[in-house]
Structure formats: structure tokens, C-alpha cells
Amino acid sequence: MRQLIDCHIHTERCGHAVGAVDDYMREAARQGLWGIVFTEHLALSEDLDPEHELSMRACELEDYLVEVDFARERYPDIRVVAGLEADYLPDRLEATARELSRSRARSDGARMVLGSVHFIGGWTFDDPAHVDEWESHDIDQAWREYFELWCDAARCGLFDVMAHPDLVKKFGHRPAADPTELYREAAEAAAEGGVLVEVSTAGLRRPVGELYPGPDLLAAFHDAGVGATVGSDAHNPTEVGYHIPEAYDALRSVGYECVLFPDGAGGWRSLPL
Ligand SMILES: [Zn+2]
Ligand SMILES: [Zn+2]
């Protein structure tokens, strides 16, 4: 039997998900998941998230970590790891590093940091509320800018795993130009930056209807020797473990033999696919 894991889970603390840690844990236990990583959105600054709809409040970090720690005791059959998802904001790297170090300073601090590109300039291109803005953007240029940011993020040293690598395709916008070169650059950046990549099943629930990353990009990561985790990006307890076996199959199909799970001590545990 496969040991199924889910390394990308949110809770109601971020303002756009429902359910508390325990609601997600109950579902993980029901499914018999082997391991789970909570990756709440690290607090964005007030100007970017004035209504706290995109991320948890900075003052909630401690309570969040304590809550995940409690779940670890309450569900001894599941490996429970605290993590965080942080946005790559090139002009705010210091603030992000500061916020992450608050977690790192704690004994129960996050053991895995997901890095995400959700902003191209000030545009939250993957937010359904801003999907209309795609009309005024050149798709090829948006893809180029997205991957440029993604490569910088992979190399910036703040993140352990790069989340949903080709999120730019979320609403089905595909470039006219062949993206092979962008994929090659992304794979090179991930290898150089020493980050893992996430195979995210969230794309299966979106208009694009496929995993992030797609097979060509995933193959490029494999060929560059980049390791992988898997995650559902659950924002509702019903999404825990969403189509994880499909992510395992995708990894196998491009040559991966294992998927990685944080061991809690700064390293990774390999699980066969
Ligand atoms: Zn979210
Ligand atoms: Zn997420």
C-alpha cells in the first residue's frame, strides 16, 4: 500500500479557507494518510492584505504553531509537520525573512517553507477576483514574467519547496510561444537554489484541469535532479488528500522513484511512489 502524504494544507486562519486544524486532521485520519504538512499563508503586510483575506495575521503565528503541535500529539498515527507558505515579493525579501525567522526561533517552528509566486508586480494573477485583468495582459509576457519571478524565488534562499510551479496556467491561459526554454530555466533555477518542487493537485480543481506542474515541466525537474513533494493546497477539509495518487502516478511517469516528506529535523524522508 502506498504511503500517502499531503504537504500543502491551509486553515481558516488565512481568511479564505474554512475549517480549523482539527477538521483537516479528522479527514486525514479518515483517509489513513501517512503524513501531513500544514502550510498556512505567512502574514502579508497590511498594505497588501488590509482585510486579512490572503494570509493569517502576524499575531496569529504562535497560536497556529501551537495548534499544529497539539494535532501532532492528538493523532500519533499521522506524521504532522508545521509549515508555512510564503509569497515571493522581490521588494520585500527582508520583511519575509524577518517573519520566517520568528517561526524558526521557536522549537515548534515551521519545518517546511513553501515559496509561491502569486503576484506579478501588484497583480494577483491567480485570484479569481482579478481574472478579468488577464484581458489587458499579453499571455506570453505574463508567462515570461511569472517564470522570471519563479526562478528568482527558487534561488533566493528563503524557501524549501516551490509550490504549484506553473500556477500561471490556472485559468487556462497558454502562451503562443513554446515554453520549453522557460521550463529548462525553471529546472536549472530549482537545482541551483537547492529547492524541491511540489506536484500540486489543486490544478485539477481549476479551469486548467491538470496538475501543477504539467508533464513537460515535471520531466524537466526530474532531469535536473530536483526532488519533489506533493500537496492538495486544501482550503477546505474536503480537499485533504485530493487526488494524491494521481500526483504519485505523474511523478512515476517521468522517472521519479520517490516522493519527499520533511523529517522534522531539516532533512527529508523518501517514500516510494
Ligand atoms: Zn490560499
Ligand atoms: Zn497554498
Side-chain angles (χ1 to χ4, degrees):
M1 260 241 310
R2 279 169 156 177
Q3 294 159 311
L4 297 178
I5 58 173
D6 189 341
C7 305
H8 192 155
I9 305 275
H10 294 278
T11 72
E12 60 200 359
R13 288 185 189 277
C14 68
H16 60 275
V18 296
V21 164
D22 201 62
D23 299 312
Y24 289 83
M25 287 307 304
R26 267 203 307 279
E27 181 55 25
R30 195 190 66 76
Q31 292 180 27
L33 292 189
W34 186 89
I36 191 167
V37 186
F38 284 92
T39 52
E40 193 53 285
H41 292 283
L42 185 73
L44 288 164
S45 58
E46 289 287 327
D47 61 316
L48 285 174
D49 188 18
E51 310 290 335
H52 300 285
E53 294 169 326
L54 300 175
S55 63
M56 69 175 151
R57 292 166 195 268
C59 61
E60 282 187 277
L61 178 67
E62 286 77 14
D63 286 350
Y64 162 67
L65 294 170
V66 166
E67 203 179 350
V68 175
D69 208 35
F70 182 65
R72 192 177 303 120
E73 287 168 28
R74 200 168 136 86
Y75 294 87
D77 296 340
I78 306 176
R79 287 102 200 132
V80 183
V81 173
L84 288 164
E85 177 175 9
D87 283 279
Y88 179 66
L89 300 161
D91 52 345
R92 296 165 192 243
L93 291 182
E94 270 180 41
T96 307
R98 233 186 351 261
E99 200 53 28
L100 287 173
S101 67
R102 283 180 54 214
S103 148
R104 219 166 275 129
R106 294 174 56 97
S107 62
D108 62 358
R111 294 289 181 265
M112 186 185 114
V113 179
L114 283 175
S116 296
V117 176
H118 291 121
F119 291 85
I120 299 178
W123 175 33
T124 48
F125 66 90
D126 75 315
D127 185 343
H130 297 280
V131 66
D132 289 352
E133 289 177 45
W134 273 98
E135 318 243 333
S136 58
H137 282 82
D138 178 79
I139 295 174
D140 284 81
Q141 198 188 331
W143 271 60
R144 280 196 305 276
E145 288 178 17
Y146 171 83
F147 275 102
E148 199 173 309
L149 288 162
W150 195 95
C151 290
D152 292 345
R155 288 189 173 101
C156 79
L158 291 178
F159 311 126
D160 302 310
V161 181
M162 291 300 294
H164 33 60
D166 52 0
L167 181 65
V168 67
K169 72 183 179 185
K170 176 173 178 176
F171 299 110
H173 300 94
R174 302 279 188 180
D178 180 354
T180 303
E181 182 59 20
L182 297 177
Y183 294 170
R184 200 191 55 73
E185 286 168 11
E188 197 179 292
E192 276 180 24
V195 291
L196 308 181
V197 292
E198 168 189 74
V199 176
S200 168
T201 59
L204 299 171
R205 317 189 283 270
R206 310 295 184 221
V208 68
E210 63 174 49
L211 296 169
Y212 308 116
D216 293 347
L217 179 53
L218 187 57
F221 287 135
H222 174 260
D223 295 348
V226 177
T229 66
V230 295
S232 67
D233 207 347
H235 284 72
N236 186 310
T238 59
E239 293 167 350
V240 171
Y242 183 81
H243 289 244
I244 293 297
E246 226 167 292
Y248 281 28
D249 291 343
L251 282 161
R252 272 171 75 132
S253 72
V254 299
Y256 282 95
E257 288 171 358
C258 61
V259 64
L260 300 173
F261 186 84
D263 68 6
W268 301 93
R269 240 177 113 158
S270 291
L271 302 173
L273 288 167

